[in-house]
Amino acid sequence: MTDQQTRENYPAVAKEKFQFVSDKEIIFDEVPKTKARGYFGDALLRFQKNRSSVVAAWILLFLVLFAVLAPIVSPYSVKDQDKTYTNYPAYIPFFGERGMSLFGGARIYDSQNDASMLFWRGIAEETGKDPVIKTIKTHETPTRRRGEEVTRYTYDIKINAYYALGIVYKVFTYDEFARIEEWQNETGIQVIYPYVYPGDISNIRNNPNLWYQVDEKGVAKLDENGAFIPVYADQKEDEGVPYDSLRIEGDDGSYIYSMKKSGAVQCRVDYYNYYHYLNGRKPFYIFGTSAMGMDLFSAIGYGARFSLLFAVLVAAINMAIGILYGSVQGYYGGAVDMVLDRIADILAGMPFIIVATLFQIHLAQKVGVVWSFLFAFVLTGWISIAALTRKQFYRFKSLEFVLAARTLGASDKRLMFKHILPNAAGTLITSCALVIPAVIGSETSLSYLGIVDLSSLTGTTLGTLLSQGSASATTAPHTILWPSIFLGLLMISFNLFGNGLRDAFNPTTRGTDDE
């Protein structure tokens, strides 16, 4: 390179930028001004810069807290199953009593004719709780009847499903009947309503909400003022037990409130108030109820709690076995590696679903459903972790720091678990984090398919809730919606979280994100 080219490529440095130093002065290295950062600190810094993984971590924390706290804060357990309120929508009394749709137990009923609207009106007048939240749309259909043009009206309405249930038939012992009377007197809430003879409502025996005159089709007959015509029973000789409690408006003491029924009494009961009497509170279902009448809010918590604990246990056992197995393979290599690898190949060829099914058929009778299910996961679940550990050992065992430790007399055990394994910890931790959602997905799938029934021990699982909800998805979509949202968020968050750990613990990227 000529002098001219040198001057062009390397321009002269200004003299003021030079600093003269005495040749007698001793120069020391400056103390680093930044704090030293270890391997895990560096990994945490890189993880924090991955926004999707950080969000996933917060979502996971929320889901875990939900699984822990939901069964605690809910007034229900999985054993509380109301066979009347099955597949009912979300309901909170504060919203329902104010006619709100959200958390007000709302359902959409379309094409309701005038007869249906009279039926809802009858429930409202008798119980004092109007089922109709609002009329969404009115349809006018011109039609011809007896040679005349008439307009037929139908209505799309939103109703409170808990109010719409109205009156039901219940059979009580004499003592229970007396206790309900006492509770009514204390609270002022009417539970038992006057009895109605089926003969007075065109022999209709399956509709306890009819308390007024109807025709043979069950349509209400109205008086000249458009009011219902009550047909409450008043023949004292048919009364089951003399009634001494709250009476409905207009009752002068002549109505009877029970009928004899084989050593007990049958009554017409406002189920909403009867529920209040039984449980000491009004219905309160934040997510609605399942097909078994369970509170979905607490049921999802119980199911998720089991799934998470089970998945963590499986991941821990598989990680312990896989690390030990893979360490021996990778460190010793040769014939030991070949024999152990062939054993792993044989086990890996066994389909998991077949193993789980066979274990449930045969082993579950001896050790229990959960233990046999656990054995199915452990039988082959460690193989991938063992393979990953083996690969890491082959990667590190020939490096200089391992050779130096061996030269200084370190034992095989110390070389394996003090020198090599810690360097592979990041990759193995990431693998373990990704095992957890895989276990949850498999457990949920097998429960959904009915291959494994864990409800006898856990009360319910996410897979069981999804299976029950799928049968009523068209009429009660919330039964499958809430478990699906929870499971979807759990699986997506775990995978994003695992991906973030994988990138954070990647040693090739260490220091590349420093600002």
Side-chain angles (χ1 to χ4, degrees):
M1 182 181 293
T2 64
D3 294 341
Q4 179 64 28
Q5 290 174 331
T6 302
R7 285 193 295 271
E8 291 177 355
N9 294 329
Y10 303 99
V13 179
K15 292 182 178 181
E16 57 269 15
K17 291 187 177 180
F18 287 97
Q19 182 178 359
F20 290 98
V21 178
S22 173
D23 56 355
K24 298 181 180 180
E25 183 179 353
I26 300 177
I27 302 175
F28 297 94
D29 292 335
E30 293 184 2
V31 177
K33 297 180 180 179
T34 58
K35 187 177 180 181
R37 187 193 309 152
Y39 176 71
F40 286 99
D42 187 67
L44 178 61
L45 180 64
R46 289 199 300 275
F47 181 82
Q48 290 174 343
K49 293 181 178 181
N50 190 330
R51 294 184 179 179
S52 61
S53 297
V54 172
V55 172
W58 281 108
I59 294 175
L60 275 179
L61 177 62
F62 170 77
L63 296 177
V64 170
L65 289 176
F66 178 89
V68 173
L69 298 177
I72 297 175
V73 301
S74 173
Y76 305 97
S77 71
V78 289
K79 295 181 180 179
D80 296 323
Q81 301 180 8
D82 193 299
K83 299 303 181 182
T84 301
Y85 286 150
T86 58
N87 290 333
Y88 269 57
Y91 182 76
I92 298 176
F94 176 85
F95 297 99
E97 292 170 357
R98 287 159 179 77
M100 300 180 183
S101 301
L102 184 65
F103 296 106
R107 279 180 177 167
I108 304 297
Y109 280 37
D110 55 9
S111 302
Q112 299 290 290
N113 57 22
D114 291 332
S116 299
M117 298 302 290
L118 284 174
F119 177 77
W120 302 124
R121 174 187 155 193
I123 294 177
E125 288 194 14
E126 184 176 35
T127 65
K129 296 183 282 290
D130 190 355
V132 180
I133 298 175
K134 68 176 181 179
T135 300
I136 301 173
K137 189 174 183 180
T138 301
H139 302 275
E140 298 182 8
T141 306
T143 185
R144 197 171 186 83
R145 183 184 300 171
R146 297 179 183 178
E148 296 183 2
E149 290 287 343
V150 296
T151 301
R152 180 173 174 266
Y153 294 93
T154 57
Y155 312 90
D156 296 340
I157 62 174
K158 185 175 292 185
I159 68 161
N160 182 326
Y162 294 82
Y163 288 175
L165 180 61
I167 305 294
V168 299
Y169 286 123
K170 286 289 180 181
V171 177
F172 301 119
T173 64
Y174 296 134
D175 290 340
E176 182 68 11
F177 186 85
R179 284 194 291 270
I180 295 175
E181 285 185 300
E182 182 179 353
W183 187 83
Q184 287 185 154
N185 293 334
E186 291 176 355
T187 61
I189 300 174
Q190 187 89 40
V191 175
I192 302 174
Y193 280 73
Y195 202 81
V196 176
Y197 292 121
D200 293 336
I201 49 173
S202 301
N203 286 316
I204 299 174
R205 297 178 178 272
N206 60 352
N207 197 336
N209 281 298
L210 298 181
W211 55 275
Y212 42 80
Q213 288 187 14
V214 295
D215 58 21
E216 63 280 358
K217 295 182 180 180
V219 179
K221 296 179 180 178
L222 306 178
D223 61 16
E224 61 276 7
N225 297 320
F228 293 107
I229 305 172
V231 288
Y232 292 122
D234 58 2
Q235 298 181 22
K236 293 295 183 180
E237 63 273 13
D238 295 328
E239 187 174 16
V241 178
Y243 184 73
D244 184 22
S245 186
L246 299 180
R247 294 181 176 272
I248 65 170
E249 185 178 354
D251 181 9
D252 58 0
S254 61
Y255 295 155
I256 64 174
Y257 286 74
S258 63
M259 292 287 290
K260 298 175 183 178
K261 186 77 171 181
S262 303
V265 292
Q266 185 180 51
C267 307
R268 294 176 67 246
V269 173
D270 181 342
Y271 192 80
Y272 188 91
N273 293 342
Y274 178 63
Y275 183 98
H276 192 175
Y277 158 75
L278 284 178
N279 299 281
R281 60 178 176 273
K282 299 175 182 177
F284 185 88
Y285 298 109
I286 298 177
F287 287 171
T289 62
S290 70
M292 302 300 293
M294 289 188 294
D295 172 43
L296 274 176
F297 182 81
S298 60
I300 292 173
Y302 278 106
R305 182 186 292 181
F306 170 79
S307 295
L308 289 169
L309 290 175
F310 185 79
V312 170
L313 178 62
V314 170
I317 295 175
N318 285 339
M319 191 171 183
I321 298 174
I323 288 176
L324 182 61
Y325 197 93
S327 299
V328 174
Q329 275 188 282
Y331 183 80
Y332 290 104
V336 174
D337 182 22
M338 184 177 65
V339 172
L340 295 180
D341 204 31
R342 296 293 76 75
I343 295 174
D345 288 341
I346 293 171
L347 292 176
M350 301 171 61
F352 170 73
I353 192 169
I354 295 178
V355 172
T357 304
L358 291 176
F359 276 22
Q360 288 302 306
I361 294 174
H362 300 288
L363 188 61
Q365 300 175 359
K366 299 178 180 179
V367 300
V369 175
V370 175
W371 284 110
S372 65
F373 199 34
L374 179 64
F375 291 157
F377 276 101
V378 172
L379 182 65
T380 58
W382 54 268
I383 295 176
S384 61
I385 299 177
L388 183 62
T389 306
R390 171 180 175 268
K391 184 188 301 182
Q392 295 298 312
F393 266 71
Y394 269 110
R395 176 184 178 186
F396 289 108
K397 72 177 183 178
S398 298
L399 295 182
E400 289 80 0
F401 70 91
V402 178
L403 295 177
R406 182 181 287 114
T407 303
L408 293 172
S411 64
D412 288 347
K413 180 180 177 182
R414 183 174 182 83
L415 289 173
M416 291 169 64
F417 300 111
K418 292 292 186 180
H419 294 279
I420 301 177
L421 187 59
N423 285 278
T427 303
L428 296 176
I429 290 173
T430 302
S431 177
C432 182
L434 293 174
V435 165
I436 294 175
V439 173
I440 293 175
S442 298
E443 177 265 322
T444 302
S445 299
L446 293 175
S447 298
Y448 178 83
L449 295 173
I451 295 175
V452 179
D453 184 11
L454 300 167
S455 58
S456 59
L457 177 67
T458 62
T460 189
T461 63
L462 292 176
T464 303
L465 292 174
L466 289 171
S467 179
Q468 295 171 353
S470 63
S472 52
T474 55
T475 56
H478 70 278
T479 56
I480 197 171
L481 174 65
W482 294 114
S484 298
I485 290 176
F486 187 94
L487 182 62
L489 286 175
L490 190 65
M491 299 296 285
I492 293 172
S493 299
F494 255 120
N495 280 283
L496 290 175
F497 180 72
N499 290 337
L501 289 180
R502 179 196 62 199
D503 296 338
F505 283 113
N506 186 354
T508 61
T509 61
R510 184 177 184 184
T512 58
D513 293 334
D514 289 345
E515 295 179 357

